[in-house]
Amino acid sequence: MKLTIYFAFLSLVFVSSGLATSFFVAPDGTDSNPGTISQPFANLERARDAIRDLKKLGRFPSEGVTIEIREGEYALSRSFELGEEDSGSEQSRILYRGYNGEKVIIHGGRFIEGQELRPVRNKSILKRIISKTARKKVMQVDLKTLGITDYGIYRPHGFGRAVIPAPMELFYDGEPMTLARYPNEGAGMLVGEVIDGGSIPRTRDYSDRGAVFEYTDDRHKLWANTNDVWIHGTLCYGYADDTLRIASIDPDTRRVTLSAPHLYGVRTGSKDYRRYYALNLLEELDMPGEYYIDRKEGILFFWPPEESSTGRLGLSILEGPVIALEGVSHVTMRGLTIELTRDMGVYLEGGEEVFLEGCTVRNVGTIGVFVGQGARQTFPHFTFKDYVGVPQSRMIGDSQSHSYHNTAWDRKGGKNHRIVSCDIYHTGAGGVSLSGGSKRELIPGNNVVENCRIWDY
């Protein structure tokens, strides 16, 4: 009954307005509104559904429909999804854009005003911070009291590994901050004498042993009782970086034991590039821009880059694409800023003639724009030679390995898509991954990236 009444109301609206071709969305709108400029919707999903309703009524305008998004921030708790039913046509495209060039931010995170930061008073916490100067500068905010309880999972990532969503990351006035580390700059500390290089998955050693080696910097002694310390570095070859958790540090023997193997095993620092730095350490929060998240207590510790702390903190929360388009055709997204996710900014699969025009994709945990499916590894160990995987939507995963082992893999990237005049930056795993067409069936993809700026990835 409610659906029938709504359709009748919608019919009256479009009859009286001469089949209006625009719906409006605004942060102060209401989804029970008719979606006009004076009575806008509140959410993108509501505007999308209004177009679906037009199609059900047989009233989709021949000139297409524009979703006019008013200036402001639109926070998503799940991906904004468009499917085949949300397509336009070659003559009647659907356009999502910022109204009159207004700044529209669509994000999967949470913004916190700098005024929420408080000095650290807990003496046991202050004692853990090694730098006495930092003890006076580090601030904190209780995330739990703000309703933020999902901080993500820090997992091994690096050369030869699947691309996975990042844990929660911090941005300050749009700039990415640094997870507290030692040393603060450079390639880091040399790997000392290797007691056990760990298993070597590259040669089919699947015993899953983490390496054991001696440290060369006495700073390690101060981390011996700290949980969840990670290292990042080139532990064997200079082209193969890796990020691995430290299982234990023994100050008596000066030994570090890693919790997982590196693809090639770990070798001693006889080569100058065999270096690493430690990260995720409250103890080493000692310079502006560094942060640490206490996942057990739900507290963010942060040394703001500026004394006044008047900036805004952005935290990534969504663990999926901000916008996901699957099987969609003849849709344009123009002039939107897409940010704050632990995963990719835009996922595009199948369909044809989807255009991203003049958009900004930034501050995302993996890749800016991913066109086509990724792959999920099914072989139970970290591997290269014995890789077995399956294609999967909305996942980067082991797409590089899957392509290597399946050279004619059709990633279902669709055709005639265009990414034009976009800025893509501050990403964790690249700018754009582009696929399209079919090698087996000799179907051209004609997907294009044109006049885009891609940096800091």
Side-chain angles (χ1 to χ4, degrees):
M1 179 61 71
K2 287 183 179 179
L3 189 61
T4 302
I5 292 171
Y6 173 71
F7 277 169
F9 168 73
L10 196 61
S11 291
L12 287 172
V13 168
F14 287 111
V15 168
S16 63
S17 62
L19 288 179
T21 58
S22 297
F23 289 109
F24 288 80
V25 181
D28 60 353
T30 302
D31 283 344
S32 58
N33 283 342
T36 62
I37 188 168
S38 60
Q39 295 179 289
F41 298 135
N43 294 295
L44 295 172
E45 287 88 351
R46 181 65 192 83
R48 174 203 62 195
D49 293 346
I51 297 176
R52 290 179 180 178
D53 293 336
L54 279 183
K55 291 181 177 181
K56 291 175 184 177
L57 288 168
R59 290 180 170 274
F60 187 80
S62 59
E63 60 268 44
V65 175
T66 298
I67 303 300
E68 302 280 11
I69 310 172
R70 301 306 305 268
E71 184 166 344
E73 297 167 358
Y74 298 83
L76 306 179
S77 59
R78 60 179 183 271
S79 302
F80 175 54
E81 300 174 339
L82 297 179
E84 186 175 353
E85 69 272 33
D86 302 305
S87 299
S89 67
E90 202 166 348
Q91 296 76 28
S92 309
R93 296 186 64 83
I94 297 173
L95 169 63
Y96 291 79
R97 70 178 179 186
Y99 176 65
N100 282 347
E102 292 179 357
K103 187 175 181 180
V104 173
I105 297 175
I106 303 170
H107 68 88
R110 179 77 176 268
F111 288 109
I112 302 172
E113 298 301 325
Q115 290 87 342
E116 296 284 343
L117 293 167
R118 298 287 183 269
V120 178
R121 303 298 186 194
N122 188 311
K123 292 183 179 179
S124 62
I125 293 294
L126 292 171
K127 188 176 180 180
R128 282 181 59 187
I129 299 173
I130 297 169
S131 166
K132 292 182 179 180
T133 300
R135 293 173 188 173
K136 302 174 184 178
K137 300 291 186 178
V138 173
M139 309 287 280
Q140 72 175 56
V141 60
D142 191 327
L143 300 179
K144 282 186 178 179
T145 62
L146 297 176
I148 302 172
T149 57
D150 178 3
Y151 316 116
I153 301 172
Y154 213 87
R155 291 171 284 190
H157 55 278
F159 183 85
R161 297 186 183 275
V163 177
I164 54 176
M168 176 182 283
E169 295 179 295
L170 174 65
F171 304 86
Y172 185 80
D173 281 346
E175 294 293 318
M177 298 293 99
T178 301
L179 191 61
R181 54 168 278 185
Y182 176 87
N184 288 326
E185 297 177 346
M189 305 162 282
L190 279 169
V191 176
E193 181 182 348
V194 174
I195 313 304
D196 178 358
S199 55
I200 305 177
R202 184 65 175 83
T203 60
R204 294 189 167 122
D205 179 353
Y206 299 131
S207 56
D208 292 330
R209 296 189 333 275
V212 180
F213 61 88
E214 291 185 2
Y215 57 73
T216 59
D217 189 317
D218 285 338
R219 194 80 163 198
H220 287 71
K221 294 179 181 179
L222 303 177
W223 314 329
N225 297 318
T226 302
N227 295 323
D228 211 25
V229 184
W230 292 70
I231 65 169
H232 174 89
T234 47
L235 305 173
C236 183
Y237 297 119
Y239 58 80
D241 66 318
D242 210 352
T243 307
L244 298 166
R245 186 176 65 83
I246 292 179
S248 65
I249 298 173
D250 187 340
D252 294 330
T253 60
R254 301 175 61 85
R255 290 182 179 181
V256 173
T257 301
L258 300 180
S259 62
H262 175 56
L263 183 63
Y264 300 104
V266 175
R267 297 186 187 179
T268 188
S270 56
K271 303 289 186 181
D272 189 62
Y273 55 75
R274 289 179 185 147
R275 293 177 176 270
Y276 65 93
Y277 59 83
L279 66 160
N280 198 39
L281 282 157
L282 174 63
E283 286 76 4
E284 299 298 345
L285 208 170
D286 60 0
M287 67 178 295
E290 284 193 324
Y291 72 96
Y292 171 82
I293 299 173
D294 184 330
R295 286 172 163 76
K296 182 179 179 182
E297 301 298 329
I299 297 176
L300 167 68
F301 298 96
F302 177 45
W303 184 342
E306 52 191 31
E307 290 288 338
S308 60
S309 302
T310 57
R312 284 212 310 171
L313 288 69
L315 293 167
S316 58
I317 296 177
L318 180 66
E319 197 164 295
V322 177
I323 298 175
L325 306 102
E326 298 183 45
V328 181
S329 299
H330 310 297
V331 168
T332 299
M333 296 202 164
R334 182 181 299 154
L336 309 177
T337 295
I338 298 160
E339 66 176 329
L340 280 189
T341 175
R342 300 173 188 175
D343 203 347
M344 62 190 82
V346 178
Y347 175 74
L348 174 56
E349 176 186 326
E352 61 179 303
E353 288 197 9
V354 171
F355 302 157
L356 296 181
E357 299 177 347
C359 291
T360 296
V361 183
R362 66 185 183 189
N363 298 342
V364 301
T366 60
I367 200 166
V369 181
F370 198 67
V371 181
Q373 293 178 320
R376 175 174 54 84
Q377 180 181 313
T378 57
F379 187 77
H381 300 280
F382 182 26
T383 186
F384 174 79
K385 288 186 175 181
D386 296 319
Y387 173 82
V388 180
V390 293
Q392 186 155 327
S393 300
R394 302 194 195 186
M395 170 185 281
I396 302 174
D398 287 281
S399 57
Q400 185 173 3
S401 294
H402 202 75
S403 295
Y404 188 89
H405 291 274
N406 301 273
T407 55
W409 174 31
D410 180 359
R411 285 180 51 197
K412 303 186 185 302
K415 60 183 181 180
N416 301 320
H417 300 311
R418 298 177 66 85
I419 303 166
V420 181
S421 301
C422 293
D423 287 350
I424 301 171
Y425 59 98
H426 295 166
T427 74
V432 179
S433 173
L434 195 69
S435 67
S438 170
K439 291 181 180 179
R440 291 187 185 278
E441 299 179 25
L442 298 181
I443 298 173
N446 293 327
N447 293 339
V448 173
V449 179
E450 181 180 347
N451 192 42
C452 291
R453 298 189 302 170
I454 301 171
W455 74 97
D456 284 351
Y457 55 86

